[in-house]
Amino acid sequence: AQSVSQHNHHVILSEAASLELGCNYSYGGTVNLFWYVQYPGQHLQLLLKYFSGDPLVKGIKGFEAEFIKSKFSFNLRKPSVQWSDTAEYFCAVNAVTAGNKLTFGGGTRVLVKP
Amino acid sequence: NAGVTQTPKFRILKIGQSMTLQCAQDMNHNYMYWYRQDPGMGLKLIYYSVGAGITDKGEVPNGYNVSRSTTEDFPLRLELAAPSQTSVYFCASRVPGANVLTFGAGSRLTVL
């Protein structure tokens, strides 16, 4: 079964700092990759996704993620964070040829200090 | 356009009580899912359904049951609540071939 690892459980940074959240998965077949975000008191929303093509994908609110197949990674980045980026971020992987079930990482809580 | 609606939002149960978490979607999505979210553990899949009358177990099905009598509704039942079931429960849905989930707002359950 596939698994997803997010390296940092908590990240604290100041506004305008750059953000990078790591995500690694274990599955050798074709995958769809996602980052979801959960703002305080809200439900999960899709931030960005990768299905195929350009491995650098851009999402909402200035976020981007890069799929590196050889490293089984899908790291999330934002060059300059804002206070409103305070949220919990979840990486998720869908193993296309293994039942199409979405597996989530443990999440990373990001706190942006104003 | 309601999307995915979950009720109740909050509930406190005593050990051994039973209850049903309701989930309804109005998008005609075939696939529906129940996840539980625990701190630092991400979301774990409890049960899922690919259509009315069809359900299957996810990663953590023990202690739960589901049914899918209609496309719209996918209730999750806890028969004998245990403290280990204290969690936030999310229902989600999608259409086949579109692997993006639409989530409900969540139901926070505490078992004391």
Side-chain angles (χ1 to χ4, degrees), chain B residues 14 18 36 61-63 79 88-89 103:
Chain B
K14 293 182 180 178
S18 61
R36 58 177 288 172
N62 292 342
E79 291 294 349
V88 181
Y89 292 84
F103 282 88

Side-chain angles (χ1 to χ4, degrees), chain A residues 28-40:
Chain A
T30 302
V31 293
N32 301 146
L33 301 159
F34 306 83
W35 277 96
Y36 282 85
V37 59
Q38 186 177 29
Y39 298 104

Side-chain angles (χ1 to χ4, degrees), chain A residues 5-88:
Chain A
S5 298
Q6 291 183 239
H7 312 302
N8 307 98
H9 291 164
H10 294 92
V11 172
I12 301 174
L13 56 165
S14 299
E15 277 193 312
S18 63
L19 173 70
E20 179 159 359
L21 302 182
C23 173
N24 285 90
Y25 65 92
S26 65
Y27 182 71
T30 302
V31 293
N32 301 146
L33 301 159
F34 306 83
W35 277 96
Y36 282 85
V37 59
Q38 186 177 29
Y39 298 104
Q42 298 187 28
H43 56 86
L44 280 86
Q45 307 169 39
L46 182 69
L47 202 52
L48 49 77
K49 63 184 186 291
Y50 172 81
F51 285 0
S52 64
D54 188 345
L56 183 63
V57 293
K58 296 192 184 298
I60 60 171
K61 305 188 180 185
F63 284 90
E64 64 179 30
E66 185 174 13
F67 171 46
I68 303 180
K69 190 174 182 180
S70 61
K71 294 185 178 181
F72 298 90
S73 70
F74 190 55
N75 293 354
L76 180 71
R77 297 193 291 257
K78 185 169 182 177
S80 176
V81 295
Q82 300 171 310
W83 175 78
S84 57
D85 293 322
T86 293
E88 189 159 14

